[in-house]
Amino acid sequence: MNNIRFGIVGPSDRAHLWEQRLRPIASVPEVILSKEITTLGNVDACIILSDDEQALPIALEAIRMGMNIFLVSRIPTDRKQIELLYHTAEEANVVLQFSHWATFSPTSQWMMEQIRKPKLIHIRKDIPHSVYLNYDAPFEYLWIEDLGLVLKWMNSQVHHIEANMI
C-alpha cells in the first residue's frame, strides 16, 4: 500500500482531533498541521476544516496545487463556485470530497447508530424575525446542515425539498 502524506488546514483544536484519527493508519506516515494551505509543502491529500466563506477559495487553491481534498465545512450552495471546484478538480485529476460538521458530531454519530432510520422527516424551524435580520449568512444555511445530516442518516435519494420564508 502506498504511503499518503496528509495536510490538515484549519483551527488547531479541530486539526488536532483529525490528526489523532489519521496517525494510527499505517499508510499515513506523516500528518502536517497548518493554518494556511500554502505552508503545507508537498502533501498527497489535504483535509480542510473551515466554517466560513473562505472554505471554497482555500479548496480551489489546494486543488490548483494538485492536492486531493476532503473539505469539512458548511455545505456549499453557490452553484458557480461548486461547478468551478468540480471542473478544476477534474482538470487537475484530483479527488474532491465534501462533508459537513454535523456528520462528525458525537451527538449525530450516536443518533445515527442508536435510533432507527426514519422513512419520512419533516423539519420545521421557527426563527424570530429579529434573529433572522441579524443573521449574516445566506438563508439556506439556516436549514441545509440539518437537511444534509438527515439525508445521510436515511441513506436517502432526495425526492423534494422546499424551504420558505414566512
PDB file of all heavy atoms in Angstrom, residues 103-115:
ATOM      1  N   THR A 103     -21.974  15.727  10.540  1.00  0.00           N
ATOM      2  CA  THR A 103     -21.660  14.317  10.337  1.00  0.00           C
ATOM      3  C   THR A 103     -20.705  13.792  11.408  1.00  0.00           C
ATOM      4  O   THR A 103     -20.769  12.635  11.786  1.00  0.00           O
ATOM      5  CB  THR A 103     -21.025  14.106   8.949  1.00  0.00           C
ATOM      6  OG1 THR A 103     -21.942  14.577   7.971  1.00  0.00           O
ATOM      7  CG2 THR A 103     -20.716  12.649   8.682  1.00  0.00           C
ATOM      8  N   PHE A 104     -19.819  14.637  11.908  1.00  0.00           N
ATOM      9  CA  PHE A 104     -18.783  14.197  12.832  1.00  0.00           C
ATOM     10  C   PHE A 104     -19.081  14.529  14.289  1.00  0.00           C
ATOM     11  O   PHE A 104     -18.289  14.217  15.162  1.00  0.00           O
ATOM     12  CB  PHE A 104     -17.440  14.802  12.419  1.00  0.00           C
ATOM     13  CG  PHE A 104     -17.076  14.407  11.016  1.00  0.00           C
ATOM     14  CD1 PHE A 104     -17.191  15.302   9.978  1.00  0.00           C
ATOM     15  CD2 PHE A 104     -16.666  13.116  10.730  1.00  0.00           C
ATOM     16  CE1 PHE A 104     -16.887  14.939   8.681  1.00  0.00           C
ATOM     17  CE2 PHE A 104     -16.356  12.736   9.435  1.00  0.00           C
ATOM     18  CZ  PHE A 104     -16.461  13.651   8.406  1.00  0.00           C
ATOM     19  N   SER A 105     -20.206  15.138  14.549  1.00  0.00           N
ATOM     20  CA  SER A 105     -20.593  15.464  15.917  1.00  0.00           C
ATOM     21  C   SER A 105     -20.847  14.179  16.697  1.00  0.00           C
ATOM     22  O   SER A 105     -21.519  13.267  16.205  1.00  0.00           O
ATOM     23  CB  SER A 105     -21.865  16.320  15.888  1.00  0.00           C
ATOM     24  OG  SER A 105     -22.577  16.207  17.081  1.00  0.00           O
ATOM     25  N   PRO A 106     -20.350  14.067  17.925  1.00  0.00           N
ATOM     26  CA  PRO A 106     -20.620  12.865  18.723  1.00  0.00           C
ATOM     27  C   PRO A 106     -22.122  12.614  18.902  1.00  0.00           C
ATOM     28  O   PRO A 106     -22.572  11.467  18.872  1.00  0.00           O
ATOM     29  CB  PRO A 106     -19.957  13.169  20.068  1.00  0.00           C
ATOM     30  CG  PRO A 106     -18.875  14.137  19.736  1.00  0.00           C
ATOM     31  CD  PRO A 106     -19.417  14.977  18.610  1.00  0.00           C
ATOM     32  N   THR A 107     -22.892  13.671  19.041  1.00  0.00           N
ATOM     33  CA  THR A 107     -24.339  13.513  19.182  1.00  0.00           C
ATOM     34  C   THR A 107     -24.941  12.932  17.906  1.00  0.00           C
ATOM     35  O   THR A 107     -25.772  12.020  17.956  1.00  0.00           O
ATOM     36  CB  THR A 107     -25.001  14.871  19.511  1.00  0.00           C
ATOM     37  OG1 THR A 107     -24.395  15.395  20.675  1.00  0.00           O
ATOM     38  CG2 THR A 107     -26.489  14.727  19.707  1.00  0.00           C
ATOM     39  N   SER A 108     -24.532  13.455  16.771  1.00  0.00           N
ATOM     40  CA  SER A 108     -25.034  12.943  15.500  1.00  0.00           C
ATOM     41  C   SER A 108     -24.628  11.487  15.296  1.00  0.00           C
ATOM     42  O   SER A 108     -25.430  10.666  14.839  1.00  0.00           O
ATOM     43  CB  SER A 108     -24.505  13.780  14.337  1.00  0.00           C
ATOM     44  OG  SER A 108     -24.934  15.102  14.448  1.00  0.00           O
ATOM     45  N   GLN A 109     -23.380  11.170  15.638  1.00  0.00           N
ATOM     46  CA  GLN A 109     -22.909   9.795  15.499  1.00  0.00           C
ATOM     47  C   GLN A 109     -23.751   8.846  16.352  1.00  0.00           C
ATOM     48  O   GLN A 109     -24.155   7.777  15.891  1.00  0.00           O
ATOM     49  CB  GLN A 109     -21.429   9.697  15.915  1.00  0.00           C
ATOM     50  CG  GLN A 109     -20.478  10.422  15.002  1.00  0.00           C
ATOM     51  CD  GLN A 109     -20.342   9.725  13.667  1.00  0.00           C
ATOM     52  OE1 GLN A 109     -20.235   8.509  13.607  1.00  0.00           O
ATOM     53  NE2 GLN A 109     -20.350  10.483  12.594  1.00  0.00           N
ATOM     54  N   TRP A 110     -24.006   9.243  17.589  1.00  0.00           N
ATOM     55  CA  TRP A 110     -24.831   8.421  18.474  1.00  0.00           C
ATOM     56  C   TRP A 110     -26.224   8.231  17.886  1.00  0.00           C
ATOM     57  O   TRP A 110     -26.749   7.116  17.856  1.00  0.00           O
ATOM     58  CB  TRP A 110     -24.919   9.064  19.863  1.00  0.00           C
ATOM     59  CG  TRP A 110     -25.761   8.265  20.806  1.00  0.00           C
ATOM     60  CD1 TRP A 110     -25.339   7.252  21.617  1.00  0.00           C
ATOM     61  CD2 TRP A 110     -27.173   8.379  21.000  1.00  0.00           C
ATOM     62  NE1 TRP A 110     -26.406   6.734  22.313  1.00  0.00           N
ATOM     63  CE2 TRP A 110     -27.557   7.406  21.955  1.00  0.00           C
ATOM     64  CE3 TRP A 110     -28.160   9.204  20.464  1.00  0.00           C
ATOM     65  CZ2 TRP A 110     -28.869   7.248  22.373  1.00  0.00           C
ATOM     66  CZ3 TRP A 110     -29.466   9.040  20.884  1.00  0.00           C
ATOM     67  CH2 TRP A 110     -29.811   8.068  21.831  1.00  0.00           C
ATOM     68  N   MET A 111     -26.821   9.332  17.434  1.00  0.00           N
ATOM     69  CA  MET A 111     -28.171   9.283  16.880  1.00  0.00           C
ATOM     70  C   MET A 111     -28.236   8.319  15.696  1.00  0.00           C
ATOM     71  O   MET A 111     -29.143   7.490  15.600  1.00  0.00           O
ATOM     72  CB  MET A 111     -28.604  10.682  16.438  1.00  0.00           C
ATOM     73  CG  MET A 111     -29.974  10.734  15.805  1.00  0.00           C
ATOM     74  SD  MET A 111     -30.337  12.337  15.088  1.00  0.00           S
ATOM     75  CE  MET A 111     -29.325  12.291  13.615  1.00  0.00           C
ATOM     76  N   MET A 112     -27.276   8.415  14.781  1.00  0.00           N
ATOM     77  CA  MET A 112     -27.304   7.573  13.587  1.00  0.00           C
ATOM     78  C   MET A 112     -27.085   6.096  13.914  1.00  0.00           C
ATOM     79  O   MET A 112     -27.533   5.219  13.185  1.00  0.00           O
ATOM     80  CB  MET A 112     -26.292   8.077  12.564  1.00  0.00           C
ATOM     81  CG  MET A 112     -26.719   9.396  11.933  1.00  0.00           C
ATOM     82  SD  MET A 112     -25.698   9.946  10.564  1.00  0.00           S
ATOM     83  CE  MET A 112     -24.227  10.519  11.384  1.00  0.00           C
ATOM     84  N   GLU A 113     -26.383   5.819  15.021  1.00  0.00           N
ATOM     85  CA  GLU A 113     -26.138   4.426  15.408  1.00  0.00           C
ATOM     86  C   GLU A 113     -27.279   3.835  16.239  1.00  0.00           C
ATOM     87  O   GLU A 113     -27.576   2.658  16.133  1.00  0.00           O
ATOM     88  CB  GLU A 113     -24.841   4.332  16.217  1.00  0.00           C
ATOM     89  CG  GLU A 113     -23.600   4.587  15.404  1.00  0.00           C
ATOM     90  CD  GLU A 113     -22.350   4.691  16.273  1.00  0.00           C
ATOM     91  OE1 GLU A 113     -22.426   4.399  17.484  1.00  0.00           O
ATOM     92  OE2 GLU A 113     -21.300   5.088  15.734  1.00  0.00           O
ATOM     93  N   GLN A 114     -27.908   4.644  17.078  1.00  0.00           N
ATOM     94  CA  GLN A 114     -28.854   4.131  18.065  1.00  0.00           C
ATOM     95  C   GLN A 114     -30.321   4.244  17.669  1.00  0.00           C
ATOM     96  O   GLN A 114     -31.136   3.473  18.152  1.00  0.00           O
ATOM     97  CB  GLN A 114     -28.660   4.855  19.407  1.00  0.00           C
ATOM     98  CG  GLN A 114     -27.269   4.721  19.982  1.00  0.00           C
ATOM     99  CD  GLN A 114     -26.906   3.281  20.307  1.00  0.00           C
ATOM    100  OE1 GLN A 114     -27.732   2.518  20.778  1.00  0.00           O
ATOM    101  NE2 GLN A 114     -25.674   2.893  20.024  1.00  0.00           N
ATOM    102  N   ILE A 115     -30.658   5.200  16.852  1.00  0.00           N
ATOM    103  CA  ILE A 115     -32.064   5.435  16.527  1.00  0.00           C
ATOM    104  C   ILE A 115     -32.363   4.872  15.140  1.00  0.00           C
ATOM    105  O   ILE A 115     -31.617   5.106  14.188  1.00  0.00           O
ATOM    106  CB  ILE A 115     -32.391   6.946  16.589  1.00  0.00           C
ATOM    107  CG1 ILE A 115     -32.131   7.457  18.008  1.00  0.00           C
ATOM    108  CG2 ILE A 115     -33.840   7.195  16.175  1.00  0.00           C
ATOM    109  CD1 ILE A 115     -32.289   8.949  18.164  1.00  0.00           C
TER     110      ILE A 115
END
